[in-house]
Amino acid sequence: METHSLPTPLNRRSAVAHLAMGLAALTGWTRLAQAQTQAKTPLVTYKDANCGCCGVWVDHIKANGFEASVTDVPDMRSIRTRYKIPGNLTSCHTSVVGGYVVEGHVPASDIRRLLKEKPQGIVGLTIPGMPASAPGMDMQPFQPYEVLSFTADGKTAVFSKHTKAL
């Protein structure tokens, strides 16, 4: 004679535990799938090999979801000429991302906005010079600065204003 055992009835505690384990597994798989589909945005940075603040800015960019590659160049003037950056808008490093040029210590949040909005008619973004409180410089106390968009003929417009630390 064959005997079959009946399943053990679920009590409230074991039902909640099974439900929690199922939700945890589902959440884990969902996050894994999202991470795999959210590839990091590639960004190429050209800089002088001796520039320390450029490396700190690249760390800021990487920490904010960009896949940065860095090329040390002996003459930044040739890079700025290639990417049509007027002399009065230069900084210490030049990056290219999504078909735009990013000159200097522009925050990652502004680059994300640029790539999302895709403004027509501009070459890219710049923070001329080296503002003390921009990412990569990070001087305290905070000093406000502006990020400018610029066109091929050198016209600028304020893209964003930063009045507090990021």
Side-chain angles (χ1 to χ4, degrees):
M1 171 178 220
E2 225 177 276
T3 59
H4 296 284
S5 60
L6 295 173
T8 309
L10 284 176
N11 61 32
R12 186 177 300 172
R13 181 178 294 182
S14 62
V16 168
H18 285 289
L19 180 60
M21 288 188 306
L23 286 173
L26 180 61
T27 301
W29 283 108
T30 301
R31 286 188 182 146
L32 178 63
Q34 286 174 341
Q36 290 174 342
T37 58
Q38 292 177 351
K40 293 187 174 195
T41 304
L43 177 140
V44 177
T45 298
Y46 301 95
K47 68 175 195 64
D48 183 284
N50 299 313
C51 183
C53 65
C54 297
V56 178
W57 180 81
V58 169
D59 291 342
H60 162 77
I61 289 300
K62 287 179 177 179
N64 284 280
F66 289 88
E67 183 68 41
S69 63
V70 178
T71 302
D72 290 332
V73 295
D75 179 21
M76 285 300 296
R77 284 179 292 195
S78 64
I79 297 297
R80 292 184 183 114
T81 299
R82 180 190 323 169
Y83 292 108
K84 300 175 177 60
I85 302 165
N88 64 326
L89 300 180
T90 64
S91 183
C92 60
H93 56 270
T94 302
S95 300
V96 180
V97 59
Y100 291 100
V101 174
V102 176
E103 179 69 6
H105 293 265
V106 175
S109 58
D110 287 330
I111 299 170
R112 285 269 174 238
R113 180 178 152 212
L114 172 74
L115 296 174
K116 181 179 178 184
E117 293 178 4
K118 298 181 186 343
Q120 299 296 310
I122 69 165
V123 172
L125 301 178
T126 184
I127 300 179
M130 298 174 66
S133 297
M137 300 300 289
D138 305 310
M139 299 289 183
Q140 297 297 327
F142 184 85
Q143 296 175 24
Y145 62 92
E146 295 179 339
V147 175
L148 306 175
S149 63
F150 66 98
T151 62
D153 61 358
K155 292 181 182 166
T156 62
V158 174
F159 186 78
S160 66
K161 293 182 180 189
H162 294 272
T163 57
K164 60 183 178 179
L166 300 174

